[in-house]
Amino acid sequence: MSSDKAQKDTWDPAVCYPDLDMSDGLAEALKRGACRLGPTLDRLVDGSGRAELATSRGTVLINVALWERRFFIDIYESGIEWASGATDDLEQTLRAVVAWRAGVSLDDYVVQFPFMREGTLARAFVEGRVAEAHWEELLASEYPTRPAAARSARALR
């Protein structure tokens, strides 16, 4: 392999993230960034290629893009996606994580951080009707129904 190809295939975080020293991992870099802004994210840990923060409202996952500057945030609890989104702004990323940990309501959260989208079942989770929402989602999908499957079986005879 040529050295030019090796250089193009090697990811250098300093190119897209010069404001983050990731030598100790993403979580440590984000903790240092948060300290510069004021809040602390001391429970942030490195996960499988991402940083993770367990909160009383679920787990916040933070990933970074490799070839462009982009921070991805995903928030889950009990298999439900609360919110997800992406931004190239480190400060907004950290503020979004801190706000979620602090208990900002889902409605206020997506208004305060317009790059974050509410998860498809998040509203149902808040309202206590997850099972009903799952059924609504399934029934609205193009999943084959029994009559259509029976017609297909008859057609094979």
Side-chain angles (χ1 to χ4, degrees):
M1 175 171 22
S2 73
S3 62
D4 288 342
K5 174 124 175 79
Q7 287 176 344
K8 289 179 186 175
D9 290 344
T10 303
W11 180 60
D12 181 0
V15 172
C16 295
Y17 307 97
D19 49 344
L20 287 178
D21 172 10
M22 292 194 216
S23 60
D24 296 334
L26 179 59
E28 289 302 317
L30 293 170
K31 286 179 193 178
R32 285 189 293 270
C35 285
R36 288 192 300 268
L37 297 173
T40 62
L41 295 175
D42 54 340
R43 293 182 31 218
L44 191 66
V45 297
D46 279 315
S48 301
R50 64 183 178 234
E52 300 178 7
L53 179 67
T55 74
S56 61
R57 304 173 65 203
T59 301
V60 179
L61 308 174
I62 306 166
N63 293 299
V64 295
L66 296 179
W67 307 112
E68 67 177 330
R69 183 180 176 90
R70 178 82 52 206
F71 298 94
F72 298 95
I73 305 168
D74 297 291
I75 306 169
Y76 292 90
E77 179 183 11
S78 303
I80 302 294
E81 176 188 47
W82 277 108
S84 64
T87 179
D88 62 358
D89 187 318
L90 173 61
E91 184 174 336
Q92 283 295 89
T93 299
L94 296 170
R95 291 191 188 288
V97 171
V98 169
W100 186 260
R101 183 186 65 184
V104 172
S105 73
L106 182 60
D107 290 331
D108 291 342
Y109 188 77
V110 294
V111 168
Q112 188 175 351
F113 303 101
F115 60 90
M116 295 297 289
R117 294 175 319 282
E118 181 179 306
T120 56
L121 295 174
R123 181 74 38 215
F125 191 76
V126 169
E127 296 168 358
R129 50 178 208 82
V130 174
E132 178 184 334
H134 271 296
W135 275 110
E136 289 170 1
E137 186 177 56
L138 178 63
L139 294 172
S141 74
E142 293 187 25
Y143 186 83
T145 61
R146 179 136 176 94
R151 282 193 301 271
S152 297
R154 281 193 301 260
L156 293 175
R157 289 187 210 159

